[in-house]
Amino acid sequence: MPFYDPKHLEVMYDAATIEARNRELGAQITADYRGRGELVLVGVLRGSFPFIADLCRFIDLPVEVDFLGLSSYGSRAESSGIVRMTQDLSEPVKGKHVLVVEDIVDTGLTMKYLLANLQTREPASVRIASLLHKPEGMKVEVPIDYVGFTIPNRFVVGYGLDFAGKLRNLPFIGVVVGDKPIP
Ligand code: 5GP
């Protein structure tokens, strides 16, 4: 028996489907950045950790990997757009190509804040790779250069995405149905 209640968790993308998509994204990123100079993958903590770990192994280039932490103020239901940086990059990105690796873009407010912040550091370029995108939730326009899956406006969990701090370790992406998924 798994630790969660499968009755209350519907699988949206299983592990094999996620892996296949990561392989495609990795090949596309490899083709786009080959011969273009230094590339640093910037994972947004905490939700992007499985995605960046898997994606980076499908990129056939000598990339650097760095992380920063972001957290929104207020409840998820009403994304305030006020974003707090809980952890900064370890190294400057001046003159390097930055590929932000994010778990999900919903309103776009978090990415808008991050793009503005990163631009002040004079990178050679900044692009965004997001595993998931909910276009119905968009409040501000942010260009997402690499999207894993476009999904409807539902609250998803697993593969990095949390439910009250838990379920990030599920190997699939799921939707909570009905009652609580953790008994
Ligand atoms: P945005 O600023 O685009 O509205 O929100 C981005 C952040 O909100 C994501 O990095 C993620 O932490 C959180 N988020 C948005 N939608 C979901 C969702 O469906 N499930 C979970 N677990 N987090 C979400």
Side-chain angles (χ1 to χ4, degrees):
M1 272 289 282
F3 73 89
Y4 56 88
D5 185 345
K7 282 200 303 294
H8 296 296
L9 216 42
E10 197 178 280
V11 177
M12 189 182 258
Y13 297 107
D14 64 17
T17 305
I18 297 168
E19 181 180 322
R21 188 67 186 124
N22 285 341
R23 189 181 295 275
E24 289 174 352
L25 289 175
Q28 198 184 335
I29 291 164
T30 302
D32 291 352
Y33 284 94
R34 181 163 278 147
R36 287 190 57 202
E38 288 200 74
L39 173 61
V40 51
L41 306 180
V42 170
V44 182
L45 296 172
R46 285 179 271 176
S48 76
F49 74 92
F51 180 41
I52 193 169
D54 290 340
L55 180 67
C56 75
R57 284 176 282 181
F58 292 123
I59 299 175
D60 187 20
L61 295 170
V63 298
E64 288 179 66
V65 178
D66 206 343
F67 293 93
L68 52 77
L70 295 179
S71 159
S72 288
Y73 287 107
S75 67
R76 264 255 37 97
E78 278 175 60
S79 183
S80 62
I82 304 167
V83 181
R84 188 164 57 101
M85 186 167 285
T86 54
Q87 186 181 313
D88 203 354
L89 292 172
S90 303
E91 286 172 44
V93 291
K94 189 170 177 173
K96 295 180 181 176
H97 293 284
V98 172
L99 181 60
V100 174
V101 181
E102 173 65 308
D103 52 0
I104 185 164
V105 177
D106 181 9
T107 64
L109 292 165
T110 305
M111 280 303 101
K112 188 176 181 228
Y113 164 89
L114 183 58
L115 286 180
N117 180 297
L118 290 172
Q119 290 296 358
T120 67
R121 307 177 195 216
E122 301 175 39
S125 69
V126 184
R127 285 187 181 178
I128 298 173
S130 185
L131 178 67
L132 301 172
H133 177 35
K134 291 190 207 173
E136 291 163 44
M138 287 295 261
K139 287 190 182 162
V140 288
E141 265 311 307
V142 281
I144 311 172
D145 305 278
Y146 305 96
V147 177
F149 304 99
T150 300
I151 64 166
N153 211 355
R154 299 181 75 182
F155 189 78
V156 288
V157 298
Y159 196 69
L161 292 148
D162 77 307
F163 178 85
K166 305 233 168 56
L167 298 180
R168 293 189 198 272
N169 58 322
L170 293 179
F172 59 87
I173 294 164
V175 181
V176 177
V177 282
D179 215 345
K180 286 200 190 117
I182 308 171

